[in-house]
Amino acid sequence: MLVATPEVGRRRFIVSGLASAGALLLPHSVHAQQNVVPTPRQTAGPFYPVRFPEDVDNDLVVVRGAQARASGVVTHVMGRVLGTDGKPVPNATVEIWQCDAHGRYLHPADTGKRPRDTAFQGYGRMTARADGSYSFRTIRPVAYPGRTPHIHFAVRTPGGRQLVTQMYVAGEPLNTGDSLYASIRDPRQREAVTVALAPANGIEPGALAGTFDILLPT
Ligand SMILES: [Fe+2]
């Protein structure tokens, strides 16, 4: 039985808000027509969690049971998992991980000097819905030494297809000097992982939102 705690209520609000905002921002038919470039594969990097946090839901801004909210600009990232035919791929597992607002990952190999933001979940996952849609509430990614801001993604379908990639922020001045970003030679593929973030009107005051559709390579 679902207990109507404030936590559950808040999450319901987020999900319903995302669904309506996603429909307003970019109709699904537009996605399918404009975005026919497969999402490029990228390295998972050294900071995929070796141990998952206790809370692994799709809201990385709040760790379950904690009062504190993560530092940084709250950012809603949403999109759909699609085939290159533009058709939704249902029920894929979508994982994201990224550094906190101080540039620290939830990983023992990250030996950065600044303290880790323990209010930031660092990693989250969800199962995409029947229409392929997914959504995360996280923070706007920040730069850390040697890297432009990015969010790591890993997608695994029930049929066993997998994609690991990274999402970048449109207009970030550090993008051009980032070797991993530059390693995507095809400008259309680079565009496919570059997401414009805009005020999350109708979703959450003061937050940002962006749409990242993931087109699984065949
Ligand atoms: Fe990274």
Side-chain angles (χ1 to χ4, degrees):
M1 192 181 100
L2 205 56
V3 180
T5 61
E7 177 80 350
V8 170
R10 184 177 61 77
R11 286 171 196 225
R12 273 198 188 137
F13 164 78
I14 292 165
V15 170
S16 63
L18 283 173
S20 56
L24 282 175
L25 289 170
L26 282 174
H28 289 159
S29 58
V30 174
H31 286 269
Q33 286 164 15
Q34 291 184 342
N35 223 347
V36 292
V37 179
T39 306
R41 296 184 189 278
Q42 291 246 275
T43 173
F47 299 124
Y48 182 82
V50 289
R51 204 175 140 202
F52 295 119
E54 283 190 24
D55 184 5
V56 294
D57 74 354
N58 66 335
D59 183 354
L60 283 69
V61 177
V62 177
V63 175
R64 186 176 57 229
Q67 292 297 314
R69 206 194 73 167
S71 299
V73 179
V74 174
T75 300
H76 294 264
V77 178
M78 66 200 93
R80 292 201 302 166
V81 180
L82 304 166
T84 45
D85 56 2
K87 290 186 180 156
V89 177
N91 306 324
T93 301
V94 183
E95 300 172 278
I96 68 168
W97 65 102
Q98 67 183 101
C99 66
D100 64 24
H102 305 157
R104 295 288 310 275
Y105 277 94
L106 180 64
H107 195 288
D110 186 344
T111 54
K113 296 277 187 291
R114 298 197 59 184
R116 208 175 63 71
D117 177 9
T118 54
F120 183 56
Q121 197 170 288
Y123 166 91
R125 74 168 83 102
M126 70 168 289
T127 302
R129 305 172 188 98
D131 65 352
S133 66
Y134 75 87
S135 53
F136 287 95
R137 181 173 182 250
T138 185
I139 60 168
R140 187 190 197 283
V142 302
Y144 58 84
R147 290 304 316 276
T148 194
H150 60 280
I151 300 176
H152 296 268
F153 273 74
V155 179
R156 190 176 60 254
T157 72
R161 294 162 74 189
Q162 295 196 46
L163 175 72
V164 174
T165 192
Q166 300 182 26
M167 184 203 103
Y168 299 86
V169 179
E172 271 291 339
L174 291 173
N175 282 351
T176 48
D178 187 280
S179 59
L180 279 174
Y181 187 70
S183 73
I184 307 169
R185 299 271 180 224
D186 183 338
R188 295 172 311 155
Q189 286 204 307
R190 218 177 297 140
E191 195 179 322
V193 291
T194 308
V195 172
L197 297 179
N201 295 331
I203 305 177
E204 181 174 350
L208 298 172
T211 300
F212 180 39
D213 282 341
I214 297 164
L215 276 78
L216 296 173
T218 47

